[in-house]
Amino acid sequence: MNRSHAVIVSFARTPIGKFRGSLSHLTAPQLGSVAIRGALSRLGDAGVPKIVEAYMGNVLQAGVGQAPCRQAVLGAGLEEDVVCTTVNKVCASGMKSITLAAQTIQLGHHKRSHHPHTALLAGGMESMSQTPHYLPASRAGTPLGHSTLIDGIVRDGLWDPYDDVHMGDCAEKCAVDYGISREDQDRYAAESYRRAREGMDMNVWEEIVPVDGPTKKNRDGGDGELIACDEEPYSVNLDKLPSLRPAFQKDGTVTAGNASSINDGAAALLLMDENQALDMGLTPLARIRGYADAEGPPAQFTTAPSKAVPMAVQRAGMTLNDVEYHEINEAFSVVAIVNCMLLNLDMARVNVFGGAVSMGHPIGMSGARIVGSLYDVLKRSGASVGCASICNGGGGASAIVLERLS
Protein backbone atom coordinates (compact mmCIF):
# COMPACT_ATOMS: atom_id res chain seq x y z
CA MET A 1 0.00 0.00 0.00
CA ASN A 2 1.33 3.44 -0.95
CA ARG A 3 1.19 5.59 2.16
CA SER A 4 0.48 9.28 1.91
CA HIS A 5 2.77 11.67 3.73
CA ALA A 6 0.96 13.69 6.38
CA VAL A 7 2.08 17.30 6.51
CA ILE A 8 1.31 20.23 8.79
CA VAL A 9 0.02 23.17 6.77
CA SER A 10 -0.94 25.49 9.61
CA PHE A 11 -0.52 25.94 13.36
CA ALA A 12 -2.00 28.40 15.83
CA ARG A 13 -2.43 28.63 19.56
CA THR A 14 -3.84 30.88 22.22
CA PRO A 15 -1.59 32.59 24.70
CA ILE A 16 -1.03 30.43 27.78
CA GLY A 17 -2.88 31.91 30.73
CA LYS A 18 -2.01 31.56 34.38
CA PHE A 19 -4.27 29.62 36.74
CA ARG A 20 -7.32 31.81 37.40
CA GLY A 21 -5.71 34.37 35.13
CA SER A 22 -6.68 36.26 32.00
CA LEU A 23 -8.14 33.25 30.13
CA SER A 24 -10.05 31.77 33.04
CA HIS A 25 -13.38 33.11 31.76
CA LEU A 26 -13.27 30.71 28.80
CA THR A 27 -14.05 26.99 28.76
CA ALA A 28 -11.64 24.53 27.17
CA PRO A 29 -13.81 24.17 24.02
CA GLN A 30 -14.04 27.96 23.71
CA LEU A 31 -10.25 28.17 23.84
CA GLY A 32 -10.12 25.34 21.31
CA SER A 33 -12.41 27.27 18.96
CA VAL A 34 -10.07 30.28 19.08
CA ALA A 35 -7.08 28.11 18.17
CA ILE A 36 -8.96 26.35 15.36
CA ARG A 37 -10.11 29.63 13.82
CA GLY A 38 -6.55 30.88 14.08
CA ALA A 39 -5.12 27.85 12.29
CA LEU A 40 -7.63 28.18 9.46
CA SER A 41 -7.02 31.92 9.10
CA ARG A 42 -3.32 31.32 8.39
CA LEU A 43 -3.88 29.42 5.15
CA GLY A 44 -3.73 32.53 2.98
CA ASP A 45 -5.02 32.96 -0.55
CA ALA A 46 -5.09 29.25 -1.42
CA GLY A 47 -8.32 28.86 0.53
CA VAL A 48 -9.48 26.36 3.12
CA PRO A 49 -9.64 22.63 2.29
CA LYS A 50 -12.65 20.56 3.30
CA ILE A 51 -12.25 19.68 6.99
CA VAL A 52 -13.41 16.09 7.35
CA GLU A 53 -12.29 15.11 10.83
CA ALA A 54 -10.94 16.57 14.06
CA TYR A 55 -9.08 15.19 17.07
CA MET A 56 -8.65 17.45 20.11
CA GLY A 57 -7.02 16.54 23.39
CA ASN A 58 -8.80 17.44 26.62
CA VAL A 59 -8.04 15.91 30.01
CA LEU A 60 -10.15 17.65 32.64
CA GLN A 61 -13.59 17.10 31.13
CA ALA A 62 -15.80 17.25 34.23
CA GLY A 63 -18.33 20.04 33.78
CA VAL A 64 -17.16 20.86 30.26
CA GLY A 65 -20.21 19.28 28.64
CA GLN A 66 -20.46 16.37 26.26
CA ALA A 67 -18.08 15.93 23.32
CA PRO A 68 -15.59 18.76 23.98
CA CYS A 69 -13.96 18.39 20.56
CA ARG A 70 -17.33 18.73 18.91
CA GLN A 71 -18.01 21.89 20.88
CA ALA A 72 -14.69 23.38 19.80
CA VAL A 73 -15.22 22.52 16.14
CA LEU A 74 -18.75 23.88 15.89
CA GLY A 75 -17.79 26.87 18.01
CA ALA A 76 -15.16 27.67 15.38
CA GLY A 77 -17.88 27.80 12.72
CA LEU A 78 -17.05 24.55 10.93
CA GLU A 79 -19.67 22.45 9.18
CA GLU A 80 -21.73 19.91 11.07
CA ASP A 81 -20.46 16.93 9.05
CA VAL A 82 -16.95 17.15 10.58
CA VAL A 83 -16.25 13.94 12.51
CA CYS A 84 -15.05 14.82 16.03
CA THR A 85 -13.13 12.81 18.62
CA THR A 86 -11.92 13.98 22.03
CA VAL A 87 -8.63 12.38 23.10
CA ASN A 88 -7.50 11.84 26.70
CA LYS A 89 -3.94 10.52 27.06
CA VAL A 90 -3.31 12.84 29.98
CA CYS A 91 -0.43 15.24 29.18
CA ALA A 92 0.20 13.54 25.82
CA SER A 93 -3.39 14.10 24.64
CA GLY A 94 -2.56 16.91 22.21
CA MET A 95 0.32 14.99 20.66
CA LYS A 96 -1.69 11.77 20.37
CA SER A 97 -4.35 13.76 18.55
CA ILE A 98 -1.74 14.71 15.94
CA THR A 99 -0.58 11.12 15.47
CA LEU A 100 -4.18 9.91 15.10
CA ALA A 101 -4.76 12.53 12.40
CA ALA A 102 -1.51 11.57 10.66
CA GLN A 103 -2.47 7.89 10.73
CA THR A 104 -5.88 8.69 9.23
CA ILE A 105 -4.14 10.44 6.33
CA GLN A 106 -1.58 7.67 5.87
CA LEU A 107 -4.38 5.10 5.67
CA GLY A 108 -6.19 7.18 3.06
CA HIS A 109 -9.28 7.52 5.23
CA HIS A 110 -9.29 11.29 4.76
CA LYS A 111 -10.20 11.04 1.09
CA ARG A 112 -13.66 11.99 -0.16
CA SER A 113 -14.68 11.36 -3.76
CA HIS A 114 -16.53 14.68 -4.01
CA HIS A 115 -13.78 16.75 -2.33
CA PRO A 116 -10.32 16.75 -3.98
CA HIS A 117 -8.67 18.62 -1.08
CA THR A 118 -9.40 17.45 2.47
CA ALA A 119 -7.79 18.14 5.82
CA LEU A 120 -7.88 17.10 9.46
CA LEU A 121 -7.67 19.21 12.58
CA ALA A 122 -5.63 18.11 15.57
CA GLY A 123 -4.64 19.77 18.80
CA GLY A 124 -5.46 20.15 22.45
CA MET A 125 -7.23 22.43 24.90
CA GLU A 126 -7.54 22.86 28.64
CA SER A 127 -9.09 25.24 31.13
CA MET A 128 -7.58 24.14 34.41
CA SER A 129 -9.07 27.28 35.97
CA GLN A 130 -12.61 26.08 35.28
CA THR A 131 -12.09 22.52 36.54
CA PRO A 132 -14.60 21.96 39.36
CA HIS A 133 -14.28 20.33 42.75
CA TYR A 134 -16.12 17.05 43.18
CA LEU A 135 -18.49 16.00 45.94
CA PRO A 136 -18.50 12.22 45.40
CA ALA A 137 -20.55 11.37 48.49
CA SER A 138 -23.46 13.51 47.32
CA ARG A 139 -24.75 10.89 44.88
CA ALA A 140 -25.41 8.37 47.64
CA GLY A 141 -26.20 11.05 50.20
CA THR A 142 -24.43 12.20 53.35
CA PRO A 143 -26.76 11.45 56.29
CA LEU A 144 -24.52 12.88 59.01
CA GLY A 145 -21.24 14.75 59.32
CA HIS A 146 -18.92 16.57 56.96
CA SER A 147 -18.41 15.84 53.27
CA THR A 148 -15.07 16.26 51.52
CA LEU A 149 -14.54 18.18 48.29
CA ILE A 150 -12.14 16.55 45.80
CA ASP A 151 -10.04 18.81 43.55
CA GLY A 152 -10.73 17.74 39.97
CA ILE A 153 -7.36 19.01 38.76
CA VAL A 154 -5.50 16.80 41.22
CA ARG A 155 -7.79 13.76 40.96
CA ASP A 156 -8.01 13.54 37.18
CA GLY A 157 -4.88 15.34 36.06
CA LEU A 158 -2.09 15.21 38.62
CA TRP A 159 -2.63 12.08 40.72
CA ASP A 160 -1.06 8.65 40.17
CA PRO A 161 -3.90 6.23 41.06
CA TYR A 162 -1.64 3.18 40.77
CA ASP A 163 0.63 4.09 43.66
CA ASP A 164 -1.83 6.61 45.17
CA VAL A 165 0.64 9.49 45.13
CA HIS A 166 0.88 12.91 43.52
CA MET A 167 2.87 12.89 40.29
CA GLY A 168 5.24 15.29 42.02
CA ASP A 169 6.24 12.40 44.27
CA CYS A 170 7.22 10.48 41.13
CA ALA A 171 9.39 13.43 40.13
CA GLU A 172 11.04 13.26 43.57
CA LYS A 173 11.72 9.55 43.03
CA CYS A 174 13.31 10.33 39.66
CA ALA A 175 15.57 12.96 41.22
CA VAL A 176 16.77 10.44 43.84
CA ASP A 177 17.18 7.57 41.37
CA TYR A 178 19.34 9.63 39.00
CA GLY A 179 21.14 11.86 41.49
CA ILE A 180 19.61 15.11 40.26
CA SER A 181 19.95 17.77 42.95
CA ARG A 182 17.77 20.70 43.94
CA GLU A 183 20.44 22.99 42.55
CA ASP A 184 20.36 21.14 39.21
CA GLN A 185 16.61 21.59 38.99
CA ASP A 186 16.62 25.24 40.02
CA ARG A 187 19.40 25.98 37.56
CA TYR A 188 17.44 24.30 34.78
CA ALA A 189 14.25 26.20 35.70
CA ALA A 190 16.05 29.55 35.69
CA GLU A 191 17.46 28.79 32.24
CA SER A 192 14.00 27.77 31.00
CA TYR A 193 12.62 31.14 32.11
CA ARG A 194 15.54 32.96 30.53
CA ARG A 195 14.92 31.22 27.22
CA ALA A 196 11.16 31.80 27.31
CA ARG A 197 11.68 35.50 28.02
CA GLU A 198 14.16 35.69 25.16
CA GLY A 199 11.60 34.02 22.90
CA MET A 200 8.94 36.55 23.89
CA ASP A 201 11.31 39.46 23.37
CA MET A 202 12.19 38.10 19.91
CA ASN A 203 8.51 37.59 19.05
CA VAL A 204 9.21 33.93 18.30
CA TRP A 205 5.64 32.80 18.89
CA GLU A 206 4.05 34.27 15.77
CA GLU A 207 1.35 31.60 15.93
CA ILE A 208 -0.36 33.14 18.97
CA VAL A 209 -3.95 34.19 18.37
CA PRO A 210 -5.08 37.09 20.59
CA VAL A 211 -8.01 36.27 22.86
CA ASP A 212 -10.68 38.64 24.13
CA GLY A 213 -10.25 39.41 27.82
CA PRO A 214 -13.03 38.89 30.36
CA THR A 215 -14.91 41.93 28.99
CA LYS A 216 -14.95 42.70 25.29
CA LYS A 217 -15.84 46.32 25.96
CA ASN A 218 -14.66 48.66 28.66
CA ARG A 219 -17.20 50.48 30.78
CA ASP A 220 -16.68 53.63 28.75
CA GLY A 221 -17.58 51.75 25.58
CA GLY A 222 -14.03 51.40 24.28
CA ASP A 223 -12.42 48.18 23.16
CA GLY A 224 -11.59 45.73 25.94
CA GLU A 225 -8.24 44.12 26.50
CA LEU A 226 -6.86 41.58 24.06
CA ILE A 227 -4.72 38.85 25.61
CA ALA A 228 -1.84 38.26 23.20
CA CYS A 229 1.12 37.08 25.31
CA ASP A 230 1.91 34.12 27.54
CA GLU A 231 1.44 35.15 31.15
CA GLU A 232 3.94 32.88 32.89
CA PRO A 233 7.45 33.82 31.66
CA TYR A 234 7.70 37.23 33.33
CA SER A 235 5.58 36.42 36.38
CA VAL A 236 8.35 34.89 38.50
CA ASN A 237 11.17 36.46 40.48
CA LEU A 238 14.01 34.07 39.67
CA ASP A 239 16.06 35.27 42.64
CA LYS A 240 13.55 33.53 44.89
CA LEU A 241 13.87 30.09 43.27
CA PRO A 242 16.44 28.77 45.80
CA SER A 243 14.30 29.83 48.77
CA LEU A 244 11.08 28.10 47.73
CA ARG A 245 9.93 25.24 49.93
CA PRO A 246 9.65 21.70 48.54
CA ALA A 247 6.14 21.16 47.18
CA PHE A 248 5.64 17.44 47.70
CA GLN A 249 8.03 16.04 50.30
CA LYS A 250 9.43 17.71 53.41
CA ASP A 251 13.05 17.19 52.42
CA GLY A 252 12.37 17.03 48.70
CA THR A 253 13.90 18.90 45.77
CA VAL A 254 10.86 19.61 43.57
CA THR A 255 9.29 23.04 44.12
CA ALA A 256 6.60 25.17 42.54
CA GLY A 257 9.44 27.06 40.85
CA ASN A 258 11.18 24.13 39.15
CA ALA A 259 7.94 22.33 38.19
CA SER A 260 5.43 23.32 35.54
CA SER A 261 2.52 25.49 36.56
CA ILE A 262 -1.27 25.12 36.23
CA ASN A 263 -2.57 26.90 33.15
CA ASP A 264 -5.21 27.47 30.48
CA GLY A 265 -4.81 27.41 26.70
CA ALA A 266 -5.37 25.64 23.38
CA ALA A 267 -3.46 24.78 20.21
CA ALA A 268 -4.60 23.55 16.80
CA LEU A 269 -2.83 22.22 13.73
CA LEU A 270 -4.17 21.53 10.25
CA LEU A 271 -2.88 18.34 8.62
CA MET A 272 -3.20 17.27 4.98
CA ASP A 273 -2.01 14.71 2.49
CA GLU A 274 1.18 16.25 1.10
CA ASN A 275 0.15 15.79 -2.55
CA GLN A 276 -3.26 17.33 -1.93
CA ALA A 277 -1.72 20.30 -0.14
CA LEU A 278 0.68 20.99 -3.00
CA ASP A 279 -2.07 20.51 -5.59
CA MET A 280 -4.14 23.10 -3.74
CA GLY A 281 -1.27 25.58 -3.79
CA LEU A 282 -0.52 25.41 -0.08
CA THR A 283 3.03 25.41 1.27
CA PRO A 284 3.43 22.65 3.90
CA LEU A 285 5.30 23.67 7.02
CA ALA A 286 6.59 20.25 8.03
CA ARG A 287 6.29 16.58 7.18
CA ILE A 288 5.50 14.11 9.95
CA ARG A 289 8.24 11.53 9.50
CA GLY A 290 7.63 9.27 12.48
CA TYR A 291 5.83 8.88 15.77
CA ALA A 292 5.68 6.45 18.66
CA ASP A 293 4.20 5.81 22.09
CA ALA A 294 5.91 3.97 24.94
CA GLU A 295 4.88 2.76 28.37
CA GLY A 296 6.64 1.70 31.55
CA PRO A 297 5.97 1.55 35.29
CA PRO A 298 3.52 4.34 36.27
CA ALA A 299 5.89 5.80 38.86
CA GLN A 300 8.55 6.10 36.16
CA PHE A 301 6.57 8.19 33.69
CA THR A 302 9.34 10.76 34.03
CA THR A 303 11.75 8.70 31.91
CA ALA A 304 9.23 7.39 29.37
CA PRO A 305 10.24 9.92 26.66
CA SER A 306 13.65 8.22 26.51
CA LYS A 307 11.79 5.12 25.27
CA ALA A 308 9.40 6.84 22.86
CA VAL A 309 11.97 9.06 21.15
CA PRO A 310 14.23 6.26 19.78
CA MET A 311 11.16 4.39 18.50
CA ALA A 312 9.83 7.46 16.68
CA VAL A 313 13.26 8.23 15.22
CA GLN A 314 13.68 4.65 14.01
CA ARG A 315 10.26 4.70 12.37
CA ALA A 316 11.29 7.91 10.62
CA GLY A 317 14.19 5.97 9.08
CA MET A 318 16.72 8.02 11.02
CA THR A 319 19.14 7.84 13.93
CA LEU A 320 19.30 10.14 16.95
CA ASN A 321 22.29 11.85 15.35
CA ASP A 322 19.99 13.03 12.55
CA VAL A 323 17.79 14.96 14.99
CA GLU A 324 19.01 18.53 15.25
CA TYR A 325 16.63 19.89 17.92
CA HIS A 326 14.35 18.46 20.59
CA GLU A 327 11.32 19.66 22.50
CA ILE A 328 10.84 17.65 25.71
CA ASN A 329 7.85 18.71 27.77
CA GLU A 330 8.95 20.13 31.09
CA ALA A 331 6.34 18.57 33.37
CA PHE A 332 9.07 19.03 35.95
CA SER A 333 12.61 20.29 35.44
CA VAL A 334 13.82 16.85 36.40
CA VAL A 335 11.96 15.32 33.42
CA ALA A 336 13.89 17.34 30.87
CA ILE A 337 17.17 16.82 32.73
CA VAL A 338 16.86 13.05 33.05
CA ASN A 339 15.76 12.46 29.46
CA CYS A 340 18.65 14.55 28.18
CA MET A 341 20.93 12.34 30.28
CA LEU A 342 19.40 9.09 29.06
CA LEU A 343 19.38 10.13 25.41
CA ASN A 344 22.77 11.87 25.63
CA LEU A 345 21.39 15.12 24.23
CA ASP A 346 23.03 18.52 24.03
CA MET A 347 20.83 20.63 26.34
CA ALA A 348 21.60 23.71 24.24
CA ARG A 349 19.47 22.06 21.54
CA VAL A 350 16.57 21.12 23.80
CA ASN A 351 13.67 23.50 24.51
CA VAL A 352 15.51 26.36 22.88
CA PHE A 353 12.87 28.95 23.80
CA GLY A 354 11.79 27.50 27.13
CA GLY A 355 9.18 24.94 28.03
CA ALA A 356 6.33 24.10 30.37
CA VAL A 357 8.23 25.20 33.49
CA SER A 358 8.49 28.75 32.19
CA MET A 359 5.61 28.93 29.71
CA GLY A 360 2.96 26.89 31.51
CA HIS A 361 1.38 23.47 31.08
CA PRO A 362 -2.33 23.33 30.16
CA ILE A 363 -2.24 19.56 30.21
CA GLY A 364 -4.52 18.80 27.25
CA MET A 365 -2.80 21.43 25.12
CA SER A 366 0.91 20.91 25.75
CA GLY A 367 1.50 17.93 23.47
CA ALA A 368 0.25 19.93 20.50
CA ARG A 369 1.95 23.14 21.61
CA ILE A 370 5.43 21.61 21.69
CA VAL A 371 5.03 20.23 18.14
CA GLY A 372 4.33 23.76 16.95
CA SER A 373 7.18 25.11 19.06
CA LEU A 374 9.53 22.55 17.52
CA TYR A 375 8.65 23.82 14.05
CA ASP A 376 9.34 27.38 15.20
CA VAL A 377 12.80 26.35 16.43
CA LEU A 378 13.62 24.49 13.21
CA LYS A 379 12.53 27.48 11.12
CA ARG A 380 14.44 30.02 13.20
CA SER A 381 17.62 27.93 13.18
CA GLY A 382 17.43 26.84 9.55
CA ALA A 383 17.46 23.21 10.68
CA SER A 384 15.59 20.35 9.05
CA VAL A 385 14.81 17.62 11.59
CA GLY A 386 13.47 17.75 15.13
CA CYS A 387 11.71 15.55 17.66
CA ALA A 388 9.03 16.52 20.18
CA SER A 389 8.27 14.26 23.14
CA ILE A 390 6.05 14.36 26.18
CA CYS A 391 5.51 12.10 29.18
CA ASN A 392 2.07 11.26 30.51
CA GLY A 393 0.60 9.88 33.71
CA GLY A 394 0.38 6.11 33.90
CA GLY A 395 3.98 5.59 32.80
CA GLY A 396 3.66 6.64 29.17
CA ALA A 397 5.07 9.03 26.62
CA SER A 398 4.58 10.06 23.00
CA ALA A 399 7.04 11.39 20.43
CA ILE A 400 6.84 12.87 16.94
CA VAL A 401 9.63 13.48 14.40
CA LEU A 402 9.24 16.47 12.08
CA GLU A 403 11.04 17.33 8.87
CA ARG A 404 10.76 21.05 8.13
CA LEU A 405 9.66 21.86 4.59
CA SER A 406 9.37 25.64 4.67
Side-chain angles (χ1 to χ4, degrees):
M1 179 178 67
N2 292 324
R3 301 174 98 189
S4 302
H5 285 298
V7 293
I8 299 168
V9 296
S10 184
F11 168 60
R13 69 172 177 90
T14 69
I16 297 175
K18 289 179 66 66
F19 183 54
R20 301 174 66 189
S22 62
L23 302 185
S24 61
H25 61 295
L26 297 173
T27 67
Q30 287 172 333
L31 291 167
S33 294
V34 173
I36 291 170
R37 287 194 296 268
L40 295 176
S41 71
R42 282 162 162 68
L43 292 176
D45 296 335
V48 178
K50 169 63 179 175
I51 311 300
V52 295
E53 195 161 358
Y55 297 94
M56 291 291 284
N58 184 222
V59 180
L60 303 172
Q61 297 178 33
V64 172
Q66 67 175 212
C69 177
R70 183 72 167 165
Q71 292 183 52
V73 166
L74 295 186
L78 273 67
E79 296 179 13
E80 293 183 342
D81 61 354
V82 178
V83 179
C84 299
T85 303
T86 306
V87 177
N88 187 347
K89 194 176 184 286
V90 208
C91 300
S93 300
M95 186 174 291
K96 186 64 176 179
S97 298
I98 297 170
T99 63
L100 289 170
Q103 288 171 338
T104 300
I105 291 171
Q106 290 175 320
L107 290 169
H109 292 175
H110 64 293
K111 296 178 180 178
R112 302 291 189 272
S113 58
H114 51 294
H115 288 290
H117 306 124
T118 58
L120 281 81
L121 281 164
M125 54 198 180
E126 207 73 67
S127 175
M128 301 183 81
S129 294
Q130 291 206 6
T131 303
H133 287 78
Y134 308 152
L135 195 60
S138 65
R139 182 67 68 185
T142 307
L144 181 66
H146 302 294
S147 188
T148 302
L149 284 173
I150 303 296
D151 188 335
I153 296 175
V154 176
R155 169 61 64 86
D156 291 333
L158 308 178
W159 197 260
D160 174 355
Y162 318 96
D163 299 290
D164 198 26
V165 296
H166 196 289
M167 293 175 75
D169 290 298
C170 302
E172 290 283 11
K173 171 179 166 52
C174 179
V176 172
D177 289 348
Y178 290 91
I180 300 170
S181 69
R182 165 72 182 268
E183 291 71 25
D184 292 334
Q185 295 171 66
D186 284 350
R187 190 180 307 112
Y188 181 91
E191 176 64 9
S192 181
Y193 275 97
R194 187 197 67 77
R195 294 182 182 190
R197 292 172 180 181
E198 180 182 53
M200 288 185 69
D201 295 344
M202 293 170 58
N203 195 29
V204 167
W205 313 125
E206 297 176 357
E207 70 272 9
I208 292 180
V209 182
V211 179
D212 287 322
T215 55
K216 292 186 179 181
K217 296 287 185 180
N218 293 326
R219 291 179 181 178
D220 61 3
D223 291 337
E225 182 184 8
L226 275 178
I227 313 302
C229 297
D230 296 330
E231 289 190 291
E232 182 65 29
Y234 277 103
S235 69
V236 172
N237 182 347
L238 299 182
D239 293 335
K240 293 185 178 180
L241 280 180
S243 63
L244 294 177
R245 290 180 296 181
F248 304 103
Q249 296 178 6
K250 182 180 178 181
D251 298 317
T253 59
V254 179
T255 71
N258 61 40
S260 61
S261 51
I262 295 172
N263 301 90
D264 307 324
L269 301 92
L270 197 65
L271 276 68
M272 291 186 70
D273 173 297
E274 185 171 358
N275 291 329
Q276 285 193 8
L278 294 173
D279 183 64
M280 190 176 171
L282 292 170
T283 302
L285 306 180
R287 182 182 294 129
I288 296 177
R289 288 290 303 267
Y291 44 79
D293 300 302
E295 297 281 347
Q300 297 175 28
F301 75 88
T302 49
T303 58
S306 69
K307 300 176 182 178
V309 168
M311 292 170 62
V313 171
Q314 182 182 34
R315 291 174 182 176
M318 301 178 181
T319 69
L320 268 176
N321 290 332
D322 296 318
V323 180
E324 297 163 276
Y325 288 93
H326 287 261
E327 287 285 320
I328 300 176
N329 192 58
E330 297 169 354
F332 303 90
S333 291
V334 73
V335 170
I337 295 171
V338 74
N339 284 286
C340 284
M341 290 171 54
L342 294 172
L343 293 168
N344 194 28
L345 303 181
D346 177 0
M347 293 184 75
R349 290 178 171 264
V350 178
N351 301 345
V352 172
F353 294 112
V357 165
S358 55
M359 296 174 67
H361 184 16
I363 52 180
M365 170 201 188
S366 291
R369 194 275 299 168
I370 66 171
V371 172
S373 294
L374 176 64
Y375 169 75
D376 288 332
V377 170
L378 294 175
K379 181 180 178 181
R380 286 255 169 186
S381 62
S384 297
V385 178
C387 183
S389 58
I390 184 167
C391 60
N392 64 260
S398 297
I400 287 181
V401 177
L402 293 186
E403 178 186 4
R404 183 177 67 87
L405 299 176
S406 65

